[in-house]
């Protein structure tokens, strides 16, 4: 565990771009308070229905941006591995008393901490929109925490898989941005799945981010139902499979 802690500290201190971290906070805040209130005029005073509750669109968007920001933070896992490969750092780390599995766990823990920290800051910054809409409970908070942890592992694993398969930085950036662009906008992060055309609605539920933000909203607005638990089961299974594939890819990666 000491080796994992050392790798975690190294990732947080030496490998994380400070400008990236600042942008991770600034962009969601701007989007919540600009797009959220601008689009509210189109949606109307009725807001968005979540279960049996009607919430304002800025509150709906703020809850979605928590999961969205967690997903963006997870790209750090792929970036760390890619930069380590490119600069020869991975080879140096693995000739030290560090195993590949410890390196993987260190990266996943980095993503989890970054995702939870950024989600917490977005929750704090977006709290003015949630006042009067959110109905926090202990059970709901556990659902939110679980969704963010599982989501960080899932999207971090996706970034790891991509980074181990590509040989150029241009290819890595293009593929990561394209995949995460799909995850972002073909999901319920920005708009509800109800009422969209059938094929698009099906694509929403082929997207793991939809499950993450749905569970997060269910916890924040106290709208946990049987379907929420189904979503928990689905995203748990997807995350377990993706993490195993990411681990296998990194263990087999040539350096």
């Amino acid at each position: 565990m000491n080796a994992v802690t050392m790798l975690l500290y190294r990732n947080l201190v030496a490998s994380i771009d400070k400008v990236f971290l600042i942008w991770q906070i600034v962009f969601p805040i701007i989007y919540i308070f600009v797009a959220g209130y601008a689009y509210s005029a189109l949606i109307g005073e009725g807001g968005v229905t979540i279960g049996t509750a009607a919430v304002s669109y800025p509150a709906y968007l703020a809850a979605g941006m928590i999961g969205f920001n967690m997903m963006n933070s997870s790209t750090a896992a792929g970036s760390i591995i890619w930069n380590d490969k490119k600069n020869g750092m991975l080879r140096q780390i693995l000739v030290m008393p560090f195993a590949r599995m410890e390196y993987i766990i260190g990266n996943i823990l980095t993503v989890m901490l970054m995702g939870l920290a950024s989600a917490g800051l977005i929750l704090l910054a977006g709290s003015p929109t949630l006042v009067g809409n959110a109905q926090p409970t202990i059970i709901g908070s556990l659902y939110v925490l679980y969704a963010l942890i599982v989501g960080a592992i899932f999207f971090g694993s996706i970034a790891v898989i991509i980074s181990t398969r590509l040989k150029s930085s241009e290819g890595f950036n293009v593929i990561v941005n394209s995949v995460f662009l799909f995850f972002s906008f073909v999901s319920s992060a920005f708009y509800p799945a109800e009422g969209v055309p059938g094929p698009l609605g099906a694509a929403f539920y082929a997207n793991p981010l939809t499950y993450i933000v749905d569970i997060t909203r269910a916890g924040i607005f106290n709208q946990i139902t049987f379907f929420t638990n189904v979503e928990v089961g689905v995203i748990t299974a997807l995350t377990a499979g993706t993490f195993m594939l990411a681990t296998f890819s990194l263990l087999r990666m040539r350096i």
Side-chain angles (χ1 to χ4, degrees):
M1 190 61 191
N2 185 51
V4 173
T5 303
M6 292 172 63
L7 289 169
L8 174 62
Y9 175 80
R10 171 257 176 184
N11 289 344
L12 293 174
V13 173
S15 302
I16 303 301
D17 187 356
K18 307 302 186 294
V19 176
F20 172 77
L21 292 178
I22 294 172
W23 180 242
Q24 283 291 96
I25 305 302
V26 172
F27 171 74
I29 292 174
I30 293 175
Y31 201 89
I32 290 170
F33 288 99
V34 176
Y37 286 101
Y39 293 159
S40 293
L42 299 176
I43 295 173
E45 296 181 359
V48 181
T49 301
I50 301 176
T52 60
V55 303
S56 67
Y57 180 68
Y60 177 90
L61 183 59
M65 290 300 288
I66 293 172
F68 170 81
N69 218 42
M70 172 277 302
M71 180 191 71
N72 278 347
S73 297
S74 68
T75 60
S79 298
I80 291 171
I81 294 173
W82 172 255
N83 288 327
D84 284 348
K85 284 199 309 179
K86 178 182 177 181
N87 300 326
M89 182 59 69
L90 181 57
R91 186 186 299 273
Q92 295 182 41
I93 289 174
L94 294 180
V95 298
M96 297 178 187
F98 298 114
R100 289 200 184 203
M101 197 63 201
E102 291 171 336
Y103 180 78
I104 295 170
I105 295 173
N107 281 342
I108 294 298
L109 287 177
T110 301
V111 170
M112 287 172 56
L113 288 178
M114 289 180 58
L116 290 174
S118 63
L121 290 172
I122 297 304
L123 181 62
L124 181 63
S127 58
T129 68
L130 297 173
V131 173
N133 292 280
Q135 301 179 41
T137 64
I138 294 176
I139 298 298
S141 299
L142 292 176
Y143 271 81
V144 173
L145 182 62
Y146 183 78
L148 295 176
I149 291 174
V150 170
I153 296 173
F154 175 83
F155 291 112
S157 297
I158 292 291
V160 168
I161 292 169
I162 294 173
S163 69
T164 59
R165 296 297 178 182
L166 298 178
K167 299 184 180 299
S168 69
S169 59
E170 293 81 6
F172 173 75
N173 290 325
V174 168
I175 297 298
V176 165
N177 289 334
S178 299
V179 169
F180 280 74
L181 188 65
F182 168 81
F183 282 142
S184 299
F185 291 103
V186 188
S187 75
S188 59
F190 300 100
Y191 23 73
E194 294 76 9
V196 301
L200 183 57
F204 272 31
Y205 285 98
N207 183 349
L209 182 60
T210 292
Y211 298 97
I212 300 298
V213 297
D214 281 358
I215 297 167
T216 301
R217 288 195 181 104
I220 291 175
F221 301 115
N222 194 25
Q223 295 296 317
I224 298 169
T225 64
F226 173 76
F227 184 66
T228 306
N229 292 319
V230 171
E231 290 184 308
V232 169
V234 171
I235 193 60
T236 300
L238 287 173
T239 299
T242 307
F243 178 72
M244 290 177 62
L245 183 58
T247 302
F248 179 76
S249 296
L250 193 51
L251 290 175
R252 294 290 302 272
M253 182 180 67
R254 294 182 179 179
I255 57 174

